[in-house]
Amino acid sequence: MSLGGVGRIAICGYRRILASHLPHVQRITLQFSRQMSTEMQSVASRLQSSGLLRTQGLIGGKWTNAYDGKTLEVNNPATGEIIAEVACMGRKETNDAISSAFDAYKSWSKLTAAERSKRLRKWYDLLMAHQEELGQLITLEQGKPLKEAMGEVGYGASFIEFFAEEAKRVYGDIIPPTLPDRRLFVLKQPVGVVGAITPWNFPLAMITRKVGPALACGCTVVIKPSELTPLTALAAAELALQAGIPPGAVNVVMGNAPDIGDALLASPQVRKITFTGSTAVGKKLMAGAAGTVKRVSLELGGNAPCIVFDDADLDVAIKGTLAAKFRNSGQTCVCANRVLVQEGIYDKFADAFSKAVQNLKVGDGFREGVVQGPLINEAAVNKVETFLQDAVSKGAKVLLGGKRHSLGMTFYEPTIISDVNSEMLLSREEVFGPVAPLLRFKTEEEAIHMANDTNAGLAAYIFTNNVQRTWRVSEALEYGLVGVNEGIISTEVAPFGGIKQSGLGREGSKYGMDEYLEIKYVCLGDMNRN
Ligand code: SIN
């Protein structure tokens, strides 16, 4: 099965092959001086001196070029500059990474939980010790503002800390037997080798949320980061090695996404696929995993409703909606996609929300005060434009923004659009950009119906001061996560995941461990013999 849609289809080239005989660091320096502005060079050279700027894949503990020497350019979405050229890998490298993970599994899974926990804790310490450099790397390749990027490092690292602790709490069960000469046990054992396919919108946190519990349970992993943001993944893997996570336990391959995806699916040694990304690709992975009956965890697209009731505290609703909508410039699966506002508060809300949104500073994530970075690429902007045109052609009104930002590149103006209805693309699909569509409703029942009228079921938000309504609506919403009077609800201690076509399984929290554990029942017979 071809996975043409796994992230961007990588365009591998041979541009760096001439330099491939030079030592690794020298090659990176050459790239910087050729391609980058002075400002970017200074960020890049700081990163380089920290030893965290890696451009090769990681297979069996060795930094490795693509076997055919192909490379892939990584761009800064804020400037279009080429940051680095990384190994563009495919099927062969993935198969070797799987073999390394399979070998490492034999010893990693046999370590005591306490020993695995210690190394994960060390990894957490290193991630936090390098919070600034990792944040810079995220801003450089993904575009989010530096403060938000540093926040992602803290958030991402928290999964490693949390699962370092959970490693020690993988308890089994003893079941009262049905026959007197029997004893019944339940053991929990690691699934085995895990293929982790991660997106560009959280280059670190979506890796740690998968790899943390996998390693804690005794699994080993082959990570395929997005080709748009591989540098953070490689830096995190370097720190995992420094933390004493043994060679082969964490492997990273990136490049030709369909080939890598197909190799992970085809291998009987890979026992689980965990994926965060689009629903379309998730469905292909789920179908592909059937060939070898692998387990799958899928964190797929959302279509989050954010419901503001007449009885909401306006300031709380504005603050929460702002955070839920404009975090990462609207590029998260849990971003508010539809803002449903009750008719009594609609005009007041639209007015106050517009005032708040027009203060959001757009720009390069390294600039002071910027809270809205660029969108990831041109395709993302085109999608936003198509959705906007569709809505306007069907009668919606732009209250604020509504066009590309004067900064050019992939910057888009934070936008509010009113009079949106359920026929428009903006309400049917995830816009994944800084556009807040306002929809009007009359009653609680109508709001619940509108909110649930989608195939997605990841996150929903409600703003109300009525306690009974809080319970009623939270129970009625067909979503995996519900925020009440709060726009940012993700945390390592709570289960993250969707229902309906938003996915399968949960990440984070004690429930996140179950995704990487098999349950084994052991029946001991003949117990009455002395
Ligand atoms: C996502 O968008 O996939 C993750 C967002 C989060 O962890 O809050």
Side-chain angles (χ1 to χ4, degrees), residues 212-229:
L215 291 175
C217 292
C219 300
T220 55
V221 290
V222 177
I223 304 167
K224 191 210 84 67
S226 164
E227 284 66 42
L228 301 176
T229 56

Side-chain angles (χ1 to χ4, degrees), residues 27-199:
R27 271 184 277 131
I28 298 173
T29 315
L30 276 181
Q31 280 162 230
F32 283 164
S33 49
R34 223 179 30 233
Q35 310 279 7
M36 289 184 150
S37 64
T38 324
E39 197 180 15
M40 277 305 105
Q41 276 186 41
S42 93
V43 172
S45 62
R46 255 181 289 145
L47 282 168
Q48 197 173 309
S49 56
S50 72
L52 291 185
L53 201 68
R54 291 274 169 196
T55 57
Q56 296 164 298
L58 182 64
I59 300 177
K62 292 199 172 60
W63 294 104
T64 309
N65 286 325
Y67 296 163
D68 58 7
K70 285 186 186 173
T71 59
L72 174 75
E73 288 174 355
V74 181
N75 295 295
N76 176 348
T79 62
E81 291 169 313
I82 299 167
I83 308 162
E85 292 180 26
V86 299
C88 182
M89 300 177 143
R91 199 176 295 266
K92 286 189 185 141
E93 295 88 341
T94 307
N95 284 335
D96 287 348
I98 294 168
S99 299
S100 299
F102 191 71
D103 288 344
Y105 174 71
K106 291 168 201 153
S107 46
W108 179 250
S109 59
K110 294 287 177 299
L111 288 182
T112 61
E115 187 55 41
R116 285 200 297 271
S117 171
K118 252 188 243 156
R119 298 190 199 191
L120 282 168
R121 174 70 210 194
K122 176 89 180 134
W123 191 17
Y124 163 78
D125 290 340
L126 287 171
L127 289 166
M128 289 311 290
H130 292 280
Q131 185 171 20
E132 197 176 341
E133 297 98 307
L134 289 167
Q136 289 172 341
L137 211 42
I138 291 173
T139 299
L140 207 52
E141 65 177 349
Q142 198 270 338
K144 68 178 68 168
L146 187 57
K147 195 165 161 215
E148 201 174 334
M150 303 256 294
E152 183 186 338
V153 180
Y155 175 51
S158 73
F159 290 105
I160 302 302
E161 183 188 41
F162 181 84
F163 287 109
E165 292 155 0
E166 284 302 293
K168 295 180 271 186
R169 292 189 262 278
V170 180
Y171 303 121
D173 267 320
I174 297 175
I175 299 176
T178 49
L179 295 170
D181 71 333
R182 302 238 170 137
R183 295 295 179 269
L184 314 183
F185 303 97
V186 173
L187 305 178
K188 290 191 182 168
Q189 294 181 313
V191 163
V193 174
V194 173
I197 304 176
T198 59

Side-chain angles (χ1 to χ4, degrees), residues 155 199 201-202 206 209 276 327 331-334 432 490 496:
Y155 175 51
N201 61 344
F202 288 86
M206 295 306 99
R209 195 157 77 182
T276 296
R327 174 180 177 216
Q331 303 173 108
T332 90
C333 306
V334 292
F432 234 64
S490 305
F496 185 104

